[in-house]
Amino acid sequence: MKYRRLGSVTVSAIGLGAMPLSIEHRPDENRAIATVHAALDAGITLIDTADSYHWHADERGHNELLIARALARYGGDTSDVLIATKGGRGRPGDGSWTVDAGPAHLKQAAETSRERLGVEAIGLYQLHKPDPDVPWADSVGALRELLDAGTVRAVGISNVTTDQIREAHAILGDGLVSVQNRYSPVVRDSEPELELATRLGLAFLPWSPLGGLSRSSLDGPSGATSAGTVFHRIASDHGVSPQRLALAWLLHRSPTVIPIPGASRPASIQDSARATEIELGTTELRQLDDLAMAR
């Protein structure tokens, strides 16, 4: 495993996106915990979760509690594991997602997440999505208060624009350490946000990093996948899966990128973790970039 900076700490260059372990089509708990343990065995030290990663309306925090149990049952040292959770979204239980980034809600959500995770302070707390009904400065101001109170050690923002990154950076200063937007070989809308995060030294955590090559957990079983692309051909040349190759490509996009692929099976996250072993040549990167830009 290779490592990258996330604020003042060092984490694995590949993280685990834990959402598939708790939403629709989730595995049973034994396999879910085995998946987390496989990630830890592979050297992964960043686990991404959220209070809204659950299936049914009455089980908010399902994923956070699951991660806490998995870490407690792990036989090795977990002191260097950073749990990154999020607040500001909800799930009524009908498959939809809601948004509530009001200051009072965020502060209460963070405290409840801290209790579920069983930690003195949340290592990385992320605003899940801007709320169109709440001024952005008010939502970010709540994150500032959480930092000042010691409830969280660092802050991230997700699903944001470049202007929102700049405003959050002005309010939070060094307390802002990461941006988490959707970004993959076939979803490149957040290129400006990636470039800005790189300039500011913020970690960029692409969610759904395999979207297009593999189905996202948000797509459901009918989501489309790609086949026969240059990612598949170059992956075959390296003797690896297209998914592993895609993660290696993401790592080459910027030294601040830390992909967080989702997984619901031990084998999946073990394969993803090995993306840090792949070195891509200039010609290969140009060919991969050309396909990604064409989308």
Side-chain angles (χ1 to χ4, degrees), residues 21-22 26-30 32-34 36-37 40 47 59-75 78 83 115-118:
L21 302 177
S22 290
R26 66 194 182 199
D28 63 42
E29 177 152 329
N30 287 338
I33 288 180
V36 176
H37 289 179
L40 299 173
I47 299 176
E59 55 177 18
R60 176 177 285 273
H62 181 280
N63 199 242
E64 293 173 324
L65 291 168
L66 175 68
I67 297 305
R69 288 195 297 273
L71 292 178
R73 297 178 191 176
Y74 187 63
T78 61
I83 303 176
E115 293 171 358
R116 291 192 196 103
L117 294 170

Side-chain angles (χ1 to χ4, degrees), residues 5-289:
R5 297 295 296 177
L6 201 166
S8 63
V9 300
T10 300
V11 298
S12 54
I14 299 291
L16 169 64
M19 182 173 72
L21 302 177
S22 290
I23 65 168
E24 293 86 334
H25 314 294
R26 66 194 182 199
D28 63 42
E29 177 152 329
N30 287 338
R31 195 175 93 185
I33 288 180
T35 300
V36 176
H37 289 179
L40 299 173
D41 289 342
I44 287 176
T45 61
L46 173 64
I47 299 176
D48 182 78
T49 181
D51 63 359
S52 57
Y53 289 170
H54 59 90
W55 185 349
H56 307 293
D58 60 350
E59 55 177 18
R60 176 177 285 273
H62 181 280
N63 199 242
E64 293 173 324
L65 291 168
L66 175 68
I67 297 305
R69 288 195 297 273
L71 292 178
R73 297 178 191 176
Y74 187 63
D77 182 15
T78 61
S79 60
D80 61 345
V81 175
L82 176 67
I83 303 176
T85 193
K86 294 181 284 294
R89 300 208 74 178
R91 301 205 74 198
D94 59 0
S96 66
W97 296 75
T98 60
V99 181
D100 183 353
H105 173 78
L106 287 176
K107 287 185 283 188
Q108 181 57 55
E111 181 59 35
T112 305
S113 288
R114 186 193 66 78
E115 293 171 358
R116 291 192 196 103
L117 294 170
V119 295
E120 293 184 4
I122 296 172
L124 173 61
Y125 192 68
Q126 303 161 97
L127 175 57
H128 208 152
K129 187 176 183 178
D131 188 335
D133 295 327
V134 177
W136 179 238
D138 290 354
S139 296
V140 177
L143 302 179
R144 175 79 260 176
E145 291 183 38
L146 289 168
L147 273 172
D148 293 341
T151 306
V152 308
R153 293 196 173 97
V155 165
I157 50 178
S158 183
N159 299 302
V160 289
T161 65
T162 53
D163 286 344
Q164 288 167 334
I165 294 172
R166 292 188 184 96
E167 187 172 359
H169 190 253
I171 295 170
L172 296 165
D174 292 341
L176 178 66
V177 301
S178 67
V179 172
Q180 183 176 150
N181 277 18
R182 187 170 192 172
Y183 189 86
S184 73
V186 297
V187 181
R188 296 282 296 277
D189 297 346
S190 283
E191 194 74 41
E193 289 74 28
L194 169 58
E195 293 174 359
L196 178 58
T198 301
R199 290 200 302 272
L200 294 175
L202 304 175
F204 187 88
L205 281 55
W207 65 264
S208 195
L210 303 177
L213 294 177
S214 295
R215 286 191 296 269
S216 165
S217 294
L218 293 177
D219 294 332
S222 61
T225 60
S226 299
T229 69
V230 67
F231 278 85
H232 293 76
R233 178 178 61 77
I234 294 177
S236 179
D237 292 343
H238 283 265
V240 302
S241 69
Q243 292 77 16
R244 194 191 304 181
L245 192 281
L247 294 173
W249 172 79
L250 284 165
L251 290 170
H252 280 79
R253 295 298 299 154
S254 165
T256 71
V257 167
I258 305 173
I260 47 172
S264 61
R265 297 182 298 117
S268 296
I269 194 59
Q270 288 171 335
D271 183 71
S272 293
R274 296 188 64 188
T276 61
E277 301 171 4
I278 300 174
E279 294 295 332
L280 296 171
T282 302
T283 300
E284 291 176 320
L285 286 170
R286 184 175 65 251
Q287 292 172 339
L288 296 171
D289 288 346

